[in-house]
Amino acid sequence: MELKAMILGHFLAISLALNLGLLYRDYCNSQEFFSSENKLKNASLVTNRDANSYIVENTEVTSSSKAVDETIDLDHGDPTMYERYWQKMGDKTTVLIPGWRFISYFSDVKNLCWFLEPEFANAVIRLHKLVGNAVTENRDIVVGSGSSQLIQAALYAVSPPNATEPIDVVSAAPFYSSYPLITDLLKSGLHKWDGDANKFKKDKPYIELVTSPNNPDGFSRNAVVNQDQGILIHDLAYYWPQYTPISHAADHDIMLFTVSKSTGHAGSRLGWALVKDRETAKKMIEFIVLSTIGVSKESQIRAAKILQVVSDSHEHKGDFNDDEAFFEHSHKLMTRRWKQLRDAVSNAKIFSLPEFPLGQCTFTNSSFTSQPAFAWLKCESEIDDCESFLRHHKILTRGGKHFGDDEKHVRISVLPRDMIFDRFIKRLSSITSS
């Protein structure tokens, strides 16, 4: 087989350092991430309750003075908010994998993406049909080690291979802070970062990354350049009903999703792309083969089980307790957190948040405003550097300059554990202009 030959030919060509390097650079972008102030993440060691069940327990802070002095790290979007829900699910999501399974590189040699586990592919299709947020018919599913690898794979796939100069990659500001790093990481000569799509005026081919809902500000987006020579990649990591109304089934050439923001399982490092053009899908698969020789099967099987439980919680509610349908539970939680956040901002009187329009959701059959995974907070008055201002109050955020915007804005994660979020709300409410 042609693919087998390619694997053998490039087995040692590129190692996992590709993705480790990306993560390292992204993390180092936050000045405080590795500081001594970034203490325990409010979780104890994983403890073995029985042979098949593992629960991460919250570690309560017993000293009120310690809670006051402790730095609150909301720079990264670590989705530990979902942890309590999955604890309640107990053994419903337990997966037992014998040691003899998954020895081979191959999952399904008949599939274009031969390292894609059929169980995971079926769970993805079922979930999209349940939610109605993306078209899956006549698409190839490409699985990747998180959306970061899929973005790299998509850029590799759509960049002209024999161009005399790298193709420009743009995204409308404020854009996801890792896009410039991902684009220019390898300095491959295929593509290069060119900044804010709103400022792109060149009459030449380009790639536009369209994030909707957007990270960091949470707004729904369309392409802004709109030239004939453009190639679009749609990053839809947050297009789920706990964050935003599902208005339609997205139908784009390349659509990227991730387990980390749909269910909260960031540690599984798994994402998927729905790709309309088969040649593009082949090139994306080639990139993943050359960089990591496929994707962990254990992660795919675990994620498949989790996605199945999400779908079951809505389609077979009789098997679940009240308020255990996943998207209903997570939607209510996000609604409550955004109310707390807006109340805190109102009390402080020196901050502001975006206002989102009311939208009709086809999944919930209700109308609501977006409640994003990140808050795009603005410091008003004479505060010019919002990141430094909040750091002075021991709240770590990511400043607007990383997103192509001004320093009066910061991105704040709304997805930490309850205890961390409640402490943040209390501290934010107490901040005054003085």
Side-chain angles (χ1 to χ4, degrees):
M1 292 174 58
E2 181 180 347
L3 281 173
K4 286 185 177 180
M6 180 174 62
I7 299 165
L8 294 174
H10 297 282
F11 189 90
L12 297 176
I14 302 176
S15 71
L16 285 170
L18 175 71
N19 293 304
L20 292 175
L22 168 64
L23 290 174
Y24 177 77
R25 288 186 62 181
D26 186 23
Y27 279 14
C28 287
N29 222 16
S30 171
Q31 298 178 5
E32 297 292 335
F33 186 76
F34 291 112
S35 73
S36 59
E37 291 183 323
N38 184 27
K39 298 180 180 178
L40 57 87
K41 290 289 187 179
N42 191 36
S44 69
L45 292 175
V46 177
T47 59
N48 190 352
R49 287 293 179 85
D50 55 55
N52 298 316
S53 177
Y54 296 86
I55 298 177
V56 179
E57 296 180 332
N58 289 339
T59 301
E60 297 296 334
V61 177
T62 57
S63 170
S64 59
S65 61
K66 181 180 179 181
V68 170
D69 293 337
E70 186 173 314
T71 296
I72 301 172
D73 187 353
L74 299 176
D75 180 350
H76 296 274
D78 197 16
T80 49
M81 174 190 82
Y82 294 97
E83 186 177 74
R84 185 168 293 179
Y85 175 86
W86 292 113
Q87 287 179 5
K88 289 171 59 180
M89 290 298 101
D91 287 340
K92 284 187 173 69
T93 56
T94 298
V95 177
L96 180 63
I97 302 176
W100 57 266
R101 290 198 65 188
F102 307 133
I103 296 295
S104 173
Y105 288 108
F106 297 91
S107 296
D108 181 3
V109 294
K110 296 179 181 179
N111 194 320
L112 181 67
C113 188
W114 48 265
F115 47 85
L116 170 65
E117 285 294 313
E119 190 174 342
F120 179 67
N122 293 335
V124 164
I125 292 170
R126 180 188 176 196
L127 185 63
H128 280 305
K129 288 184 176 179
L130 170 71
V131 176
N133 62 341
V135 175
T136 58
E137 290 80 6
N138 301 315
R139 258 77 173 178
D140 283 298
I141 299 176
V142 179
V143 64
S145 297
S147 59
S148 294
Q149 186 184 42
L150 288 169
I151 292 167
Q152 290 178 308
L155 290 174
Y156 171 80
V158 300
S159 296
N162 300 313
T164 57
E165 60 180 1
I167 189 171
D168 290 320
V169 180
V170 297
S171 187
F175 43 73
Y176 176 39
S177 58
S178 289
Y179 283 159
L181 301 174
I182 291 171
T183 303
D184 290 341
L185 175 65
L186 297 180
K187 303 186 184 303
S188 67
L190 292 175
H191 44 68
K192 64 179 179 66
W193 179 250
D194 198 46
D196 186 359
N198 292 296
K199 299 177 181 179
F200 186 81
K201 306 299 181 184
K202 303 174 185 177
D203 184 17
K204 58 186 295 190
Y206 66 94
I207 300 170
E208 183 174 354
L209 298 169
V210 183
T211 312
S212 186
N214 189 42
N215 174 359
D217 62 14
F219 285 101
S220 297
R221 280 188 165 181
N222 295 308
V224 301
V225 180
N226 292 323
Q227 294 182 11
D228 293 338
Q229 301 180 75
I231 302 168
L232 303 182
I233 299 172
H234 283 80
D235 185 344
L236 305 181
Y238 302 93
Y239 192 43
W240 297 100
Q242 67 266 49
Y243 306 123
T244 191
I246 303 301
S247 60
H248 66 289
D251 184 11
H252 305 292
D253 291 342
I254 304 172
M255 299 182 288
L256 309 181
F257 296 89
T258 176
V259 169
S260 65
K261 296 309 186 292
S262 55
T263 70
H265 291 83
S268 294
R269 304 310 312 128
L270 204 65
W272 67 93
L274 302 177
V275 186
K276 187 180 295 186
D277 177 65
R278 175 147 283 210
E279 292 304 313
T280 299
K282 287 181 180 179
K283 291 283 288 183
M284 291 181 68
I285 292 166
E286 178 183 329
F287 179 91
I288 294 169
V289 168
L290 291 174
S291 59
T292 55
I293 319 178
V295 175
S296 167
K297 297 183 182 183
E298 287 86 351
S299 288
Q300 292 185 64
I301 293 301
R302 179 174 187 244
K305 182 66 172 178
I306 290 163
L307 297 187
Q308 289 164 3
V309 170
V310 170
S311 296
D312 287 344
S313 72
H314 290 273
E315 295 177 346
H316 307 293
K317 288 189 176 183
D319 298 334
F320 294 79
N321 296 327
D322 293 340
D323 196 35
E324 285 193 337
F326 175 76
F327 289 117
E328 291 178 10
H329 173 90
S330 53
H331 175 86
K332 289 177 183 177
L333 182 54
M334 290 301 295
T335 300
R336 182 168 70 250
R337 289 195 171 194
W338 268 90
K339 184 181 185 307
Q340 290 177 278
L341 181 57
R342 290 194 183 280
D343 288 346
V345 167
S346 177
N347 290 337
K349 301 184 186 307
I350 58 173
F351 305 111
S352 63
L353 288 165
E355 295 293 336
F356 302 104
L358 195 67
Q360 179 67 30
C361 180
T362 58
F363 176 73
T364 63
N365 291 319
S366 64
S367 296
F368 60 93
T369 60
S370 293
Q371 40 201 35
F374 294 102
W376 190 232
L377 187 76
K378 183 180 181 182
C379 285
E380 302 290 353
S381 184
E382 298 177 357
I383 304 170
D384 294 325
D385 187 343
C386 197
E387 182 181 6
S388 296
F389 177 77
L390 290 174
R391 189 188 303 117
H392 175 74
H393 292 276
K394 296 188 176 181
I395 301 173
L396 301 185
T397 63
R398 189 171 301 189
K401 63 183 179 181
H402 300 291
F403 304 90
D405 211 320
D406 60 65
E407 294 186 345
K408 292 185 74 69
H409 285 89
V410 294
R411 190 193 73 172
I412 297 175
S413 172
V414 189
L415 303 180
R417 294 182 178 92
D418 290 341
M419 186 174 66
I420 298 297
F421 187 78
D422 292 343
R423 189 181 302 153
F424 160 65
I425 291 298
K426 184 177 181 180
R427 190 172 300 180
L428 190 69
S429 298
S430 69
I431 298 175
T432 64
S433 59
S434 60

